[in-house]
Amino acid sequence: MSDSDSTWLTGFKADYQAIFVEEWSPFVGAMLLVLTIIGLMLSGLVWGVFGGVKFWGDWFNNLIGLGPVLGIPQQTEGFLMHRMSLMNIMLVIGAFSAALLSRQFSPNRPPPLEYVWAASGGSLLGIGAALAGGCTTGGFFNPVLHSSPAGWAMWAGLLAGAAIGLKLLLWTLDHIEWGMQAPPALDVPEGLRSNFPWLGLAVIVGVLLWATQWYGSSDEKLVARAVIVVAGFAIGFIMHRSRLCFARAFREPFMTAEGDMTKAVILALAIGIPIAALLFQKKVLDPYLAIPPAFWIGSLVGGLIFGIGMVFAGGCASGSLWRMGEGHLKLWVTMFFFAWMGSIASAVFKKLGLTTIDETNVETWEMTKIGFQAYLPEMWGSWGWTLLAGGALLLLWYALVRYNESTEKFTLL
């Protein structure tokens, strides 16, 4: 091999290392994430997670015979045809591919106590999301992006829940000794690990062929699902490479005072809110598609419960999904209980009349006993005041996080 060939190969390896192995900045991840979400919106779609998680729980409850008791209808769509279920599955596959390319995929078995936390935390995630009408994606991020105060109400609940959850977690670490010993790590043979990048590339090629086949179909539903296949995969890939995690954004300022993840989420919203506003003004998408009828009681209380749960669970909904793709067994347990309890809680709250839509309401927005679809441009009659309020709240959040990074005034350790 000549020196020029060797130099070219070295440069190729360096670029591969920078793109597929070295961790991306969370700010890069946040910008790529919001661009993907905007792409979905231009296609008439919204990013959601809890709807797919609940679908899995509904399927399981019907399988074990609880569905008819709870009033859960039989599912007519398959796992790959349900829009949000497909998006969640692709998020896991996207993260799996990224983990293979970086050789970071590794089956991770936690200590026994972590499984207890996964089950309890996942259950709280399900209850909180059922009340708030979504997780950190559908209850917080999307509503804020869509200029709904429901997102900000859940934001307040998530902050309080993260602080309470961290305090409870610290108490358990001080008072519980059982189950803290981690089992031996599962060794992946070096021969297999060295081929991980090729397997990751094969996954990408397979996904592209799948999406191309569906996109070229005469079935309009498959064409729409093809967009979800690509977008969901991209979101999982981006979140893994940048370690983007909403749970971390709310937890870390209280835990270590580190604020980069929080500032990345703020940046994503700062970019996304005005772009989304333009799309809504141009009638590209109905903003109510991603606004839950939960402002303000459901959003606030649901956010509080969800915030406690995500501390014990080790992640929120999207964060749990991409960590599942990386090989963390605890998050598979978390997701099972999240789905199961999310389905049960949603059915129970509906039976109790808390989240049942008021059919007598003649307004354009839906209403339940725990809130309604609050859309600021319609409530205030002005996009100017709406964007000003959104920008002011993001600036306030940034100022608090930046102040805490310098002073550690809000840390709880």
Side-chain angles (χ1 to χ4, degrees), residues 16 97 100-101 195-208:
Y16 181 91
S97 175
L100 288 174
L101 287 168
N195 286 310
F196 274 179
W198 294 109
L199 295 174
L201 180 61
V203 172
I204 293 176
V205 172
V207 167
L208 290 176

Side-chain angles (χ1 to χ4, degrees), residues 291-362:
I291 299 177
F295 178 73
W296 56 274
I297 298 173
S299 301
L300 181 64
V301 177
L304 176 70
I305 296 170
F306 193 97
I308 296 172
M310 70 185 183
V311 171
F312 282 90
C316 57
S318 57
S320 296
L321 288 170
W322 73 251
R323 286 186 177 89
M324 286 166 60
E326 195 177 44
H328 288 272
L329 300 184
K330 174 186 176 181
L331 277 308
W332 285 85
V333 176
T334 291
M335 188 54 63
F336 171 79
F337 281 93
F338 183 10
W340 190 21
M341 189 53 65
S343 171
I344 292 173
S346 295
V348 170
F349 292 151
K350 191 172 183 179
K351 272 184 172 291
L352 293 174
L354 296 177
T355 56
T356 306
I357 303 299
D358 180 5
E359 301 293 348
T360 64
N361 174 40
V362 296

